[in-house]
Amino acid sequence: MAVLTSLRARLMTAVILIILIMTALYIKPLLLIFTLIYIVFAANEYARFWHRKEVYPHTITAYLPSLLIPILVYFDIELAGPLFVMFCFIITISVLRFPGARTRPNFLSEIAAAIFGVIFLATMPSTLILLRKIGFYAALLPLLLCWSYDTFAYLAGTMLGRSPLASKISPKKTWEGTIIALFLLFPLTLWLGSSWIADWRLVDCLIVTLSIGILGTIGDLLESAMKREVNLKDSSRIFPGHGGFLDRIDSLILSIPFFYFYLVLRGRI
């Protein structure tokens, strides 16, 4: 009974999240609003990782740039100058509060946490906004592929998995689940890509399938390693049965930016 209740909660949460995300993709202003909400909650979860290691980067050094970058992207403002200003801002704040906020000097850790935090929190949502500027389906495609790959890998790994992919980080993730998921994802990538992206070729399908699978797995393992480092099961408990914001987007962290840059490099826009 407890298992069924948990599965029901996971399914309901997943359905609600998918509906909200697709609505945000369809209504452009909502996408920016949802992006900013995501960053606020994800930044809190990210900071929690560091706090458990007694590293306390100044909150504003991660929050402010992470919130500003997708806003600049949404309004088509050139990023080079603002990014340099943000970098100087992070350095200045970090230097002014040297040697750190707590009991021991953590200057190097705090400044590294702030800079990595901006990259970690802002890159994926910003490139999703850029994909939406190309079109609704260009933004929806990598999301559907990532969600499908995660589902295939989970089901295949549960039923047939024997060989752990990274036992010290995520014992339940298996080579069998990963490989089977890639094979199952390929026809879906071919079908959806051919339907939604102009001049979609077999080589595009192959590259995107492999990259979505590999980068999605790496992103998942990245977030799992961060949680294991600080002895956390979930980044938070905001979504019943699904953990926190970072738990829900781990496979997208690298996959969404890749898909955008792939379209750019292949001249699809």
Side-chain angles (χ1 to χ4, degrees), residues 42-252:
N44 281 329
E45 295 173 359
Y46 175 77
R48 183 185 180 203
F49 294 155
W50 287 101
H51 293 172
R52 289 175 69 91
K53 292 183 68 66
E54 297 186 14
V55 176
Y56 299 87
H58 197 295
T59 304
I60 199 173
T61 58
Y63 268 82
L64 188 58
S66 298
L67 290 169
L68 283 176
I69 290 172
I71 294 174
L72 296 174
V73 169
Y74 183 84
F75 289 104
D76 294 318
I77 298 173
E78 174 61 42
L79 285 178
L83 285 177
F84 178 72
V85 172
M86 291 177 200
F87 179 72
C88 293
F89 170 77
I90 293 172
I91 299 295
T92 302
I93 295 296
S94 300
V95 168
L96 289 177
R97 68 196 302 268
F98 182 87
R102 304 292 166 164
T103 57
R104 59 179 181 175
N106 272 325
F107 176 73
L108 291 175
S109 298
E110 288 177 14
I111 200 168
I115 293 173
F116 177 71
V118 174
I119 299 170
F120 184 68
L121 295 168
T123 302
M124 186 279 291
S126 297
T127 47
L128 185 61
I129 290 173
L130 289 171
L131 282 170
R132 181 59 184 88
K133 289 178 180 291
I134 299 172
F136 173 75
Y137 292 112
L140 181 60
L141 178 58
L143 291 175
L144 289 180
L145 294 179
C146 286
W147 294 334
S148 299
Y149 173 80
D150 286 345
T151 302
F152 295 153
Y154 172 76
L155 293 176
T158 300
M159 292 185 292
L160 302 172
R162 296 293 184 272
S163 309
L165 180 63
S167 58
K168 293 183 178 180
I169 298 176
S170 184
K172 294 182 179 180
K173 195 172 293 297
T174 64
W175 281 104
E176 291 85 355
T178 299
I179 294 170
I180 292 171
L182 286 173
F183 278 102
L184 293 176
L185 186 65
F186 182 82
L188 185 63
T189 308
L190 182 61
W191 174 48
L192 292 179
S194 301
S195 302
W196 292 347
I197 306 295
D199 192 27
W200 190 254
R201 298 173 299 176
L202 191 61
V203 66
D204 297 319
C205 179
L206 180 61
I207 292 173
V208 169
T209 297
L210 290 174
S211 299
I212 289 289
I214 293 171
L215 294 178
T217 300
I218 292 173
D220 191 334
L221 291 175
L222 167 64
E223 205 248 346
S224 295
M226 293 167 67
K227 290 186 295 185
R228 189 165 292 276
E229 173 80 7
V230 296
N231 196 30
L232 281 174
K233 183 179 184 296
D234 297 312
S235 58
S236 73
R237 297 180 180 178
I238 194 167
F239 300 122
H242 286 264
F245 277 82
L246 293 179
D247 296 317
R248 289 303 84 221
I249 58 87
D250 50 12
S251 63
L252 306 178

